Each structure stands twice: as C-alpha cells, then as structure tokens.
Amino acid sequence: MPGRMERIEINGLELHALSVGGLETCHWLPRWRVAFDIGRCPLPVVDCRTVLFTHAHMDHLGGIAYHTATRALRKQPPPRYVVPHHCAADLARLFEVWRALDRSDMAHTLVPLGPGEEHVLENGLVARPFRSPHSAPCQGYGLWSRKEKLKPEFHGREGRELAELRRSGVKLGDLVETPEFVFTGDTRIEVLEQESVVREARVLVMECTFVDQRVSVAEARAKGHVHLDEIVERAELFQNEAILLTHFSARYRAHEIRSSLDAKLPPSLRARVTPLLGAHERARPESDSVPEDVESR
C-alpha cells in the first residue's frame, strides 16, 4: 500500500508530501492544484488533476495508471500529465496496454515538455523544466508567477486617469516574473550550480538522499543523488527563503537525519531548512528488510 502523505507548511505554502529514496515520491500543492511525481499514488493526490513528472523510475511514476483509473471511477475530469519528451511515446504505448487490461478508456492528456519550453498551469503559474543530472534522464521544474508592475512614470496617478490611459492603448506596466517554487526531482548536486532558478526560487524542494558516512559522497554521486556534505560545501549558494529536503534513504531514522542536519549545516542555512521526515518517524518504511541499494533508482 502507498504510504501516508505528510502535511506541512513551508513559507506559507501548504504541501502534502511523501518521499523515501527508491521507494516512492509524491509532492502535492493543493492550493496551486499541481503535484510532482506519483510513485505509488497516495489516495489524496487522486484529487489533483495536473501532475508534473520528473523521470520514469518506478518510485516516481509507478502510480500513474492508478491515478488515471481512480479519477475516472470518481467521475473526475481526465488528468493532465506533463512529462519529459523522452517518456511521452513509451507512456502512450503503456496506456494502450492498460486500456486493454483494465477494459476502460483511461482518459488523460500527455503534455511532452522539456528545458527551454513552458506550460501555463490552470493556477496561472508557468512551469518550466530544467535538466537534473541523475542516473536516468530527469528534469526538475520551476514554477514562476507573472505580474504586471506599474512603470515608475505612472506612480501617483489616480485610478481614473490610469484607466483612461489603458483604454487609449498606453502600456502602463512591465511584466515581472518571480520564481516561486522549484522541485528538483532526483539529481546530483550540480543542479544547484547549473540552474539559477534552483538557487533563487522562494521555495526549494530538493532531494538529499544521504546524510552521513554510511554512504560516501562518491557512492551518492554514483547513484545519481545528493549527499548532505555536498550541500554543506555549497551553503552560500542557497538564496531561497525556505528549503524542503526530501528523498532521504530508508536506512535512516528521523532522529538521525535531524542530528546530521543540526551538526553539519551552518546556522543561517539550517534555519531555512525543513526535512520531510513523516515516513522516517515510523520505524523505517517497509521495515529493515529494504535493500540498501534501492536508492540506485
């Protein structure tokens, strides 16, 4: 069965999330009506119509068919799946197989999207993918808000005058974009250095699979993941207002993760970091029998 999502508030934004390295990952922003990845599809996220997928590893994409079919049973509108270009054709074929097996329409929309492109979400935010270096092709997503900012020469004018100017065709403002949220997906630490939006977004959700000497930095990199020591070395790069670290290995218990963060992170960074620990509070997800190399995906 899928695990239980943890509800947290980060920088005033409500987030429901579940992420254990190699087992399952799903992050859902109810107010913004968008989710990232569906490892084993926790039931609450069925209500989310739009899902942005980072890559095709099973712990991030395995629940997609269940999500589609369950929305149909509930008579909810067909879901919309934003996927990397390299996944789209194979996913379309996979859904054809599921239609035959399930004897249902499995109605949905696939939206292939890659770096350099954008997709406007129903909440008005703009989703733009970026490359996340991982053991398999992967992309993260930045969510940007767009607002018109009044030009300085019109400051202090009365509303009636501004309305008349607007009706006459005068451009009163400039479009200003703000990076509000980033979800890196599975990645190596290079994403922090290569993608400015990762450093600058107000809220950053970033994987940190390994936190201590049980897995070395070199081993973490070979698996395509981030080690806490690499974050510490680059602490000055993080300009974010709030950071959620996720995707911790199943080998760790919550108190071990907290202790590592407290001991290693500089105070200025530690104050902005929240670890996603709900699954790790419960005596190791899937029991101690989880293979230790499961994070290779």
Side-chain angles (χ1 to χ4, degrees):
M1 288 292 291
R4 187 168 64 250
M5 301 188 89
E6 178 181 357
R7 181 194 177 280
I8 62 174
E9 185 173 304
I10 181 164
N11 210 39
L13 187 61
E14 180 186 359
L15 176 67
H16 296 244
L18 170 64
S19 186
V20 181
L23 296 181
E24 66 178 303
T25 286
C26 184
H27 292 70
W28 174 35
L29 298 165
R31 192 178 80 199
W32 285 354
R33 292 171 285 171
V34 66
F36 300 85
D37 290 343
I38 299 178
R40 289 191 284 180
C41 195
L43 197 56
V45 85
V46 169
D47 289 331
C48 183
R49 185 178 184 183
T50 301
V51 185
L52 310 183
F53 285 97
T54 60
H55 65 300
H57 277 160
M58 289 294 288
D59 56 321
H60 291 256
L61 186 135
I64 190 170
Y66 180 86
H67 184 266
T68 306
T70 307
R71 284 186 63 86
L73 285 174
R74 292 180 171 184
K75 302 188 185 307
Q76 294 173 309
R80 182 184 303 107
Y81 300 134
V82 177
V83 300
H85 281 285
H86 70 271
C87 295
D90 288 336
L91 268 175
R93 286 194 291 269
L94 181 59
F95 269 107
E96 287 299 326
V97 174
W98 275 113
R99 287 187 180 100
L101 293 172
D102 197 58
R103 292 175 171 81
S104 68
D105 290 339
M106 301 288 285
H108 67 282
T109 300
L110 286 182
V111 182
L113 197 72
E117 302 172 333
E118 66 181 36
H119 177 73
V120 180
L121 301 171
E122 59 181 327
N123 57 27
L125 296 175
V126 179
R128 295 183 179 131
F130 54 84
R131 290 181 179 84
S132 287
H134 182 43
S135 59
C138 183
Q139 63 188 31
Y141 294 90
L143 302 186
W144 302 71
S145 63
R146 285 174 171 169
K147 295 180 181 178
E148 187 179 31
K149 185 177 181 181
L150 192 67
K151 292 181 179 180
E153 58 264 35
F154 299 114
H155 289 179
R157 304 280 188 97
E158 292 186 0
R160 181 180 301 175
E161 182 182 1
L162 292 175
E164 291 176 355
L165 288 170
R166 184 175 284 109
R167 282 194 297 269
S168 67
V170 176
K171 184 180 178 182
L172 301 180
D174 295 313
L175 191 64
V176 177
E177 294 189 332
T178 302
E180 301 287 351
F181 186 93
V182 157
F183 181 76
T184 66
D186 286 4
T187 188
R188 296 188 181 96
I189 193 64
E190 281 86 346
V191 74
L192 179 68
E193 299 161 333
Q194 295 170 357
E195 304 293 341
S196 60
V197 68
V198 175
R199 302 187 297 272
E200 298 170 0
R202 287 179 172 172
V203 176
L204 169 62
V205 178
M206 183 176 185
E207 77 125 282
C208 181
T209 308
F210 305 107
V211 302
D212 62 22
Q213 72 284 353
R214 277 175 277 181
V215 176
S216 68
V217 169
E219 290 172 314
R221 294 185 57 77
K223 294 172 182 284
H225 292 296
V226 174
H227 194 291
L228 178 60
D229 290 354
E230 296 177 293
I231 291 176
V232 172
E233 291 171 356
R234 296 161 178 81
E236 74 284 352
L237 297 180
F238 292 90
Q239 303 168 40
N240 321 88
E241 295 175 12
I243 302 163
L244 180 70
L245 294 182
T246 73
H247 203 266
F248 297 108
S249 168
R251 74 191 66 208
Y252 301 124
R253 297 177 188 264
H255 71 87
E256 296 172 320
I257 296 170
R258 288 195 193 92
S259 294
S260 292
L261 296 178
D262 292 343
K264 294 183 177 184
L265 288 178
S268 60
L269 182 56
R270 181 67 183 93
R272 289 176 283 150
V273 167
T274 299
L276 184 68
L277 297 178
H280 299 268
E281 300 276 10
R282 299 187 288 273
R284 286 194 184 151
E286 304 295 305
S287 85
D288 288 344
S289 64
V290 174
E292 293 197 344
D293 61 352
V294 73
E295 308 95 346
S296 294
R297 65 183 185 192

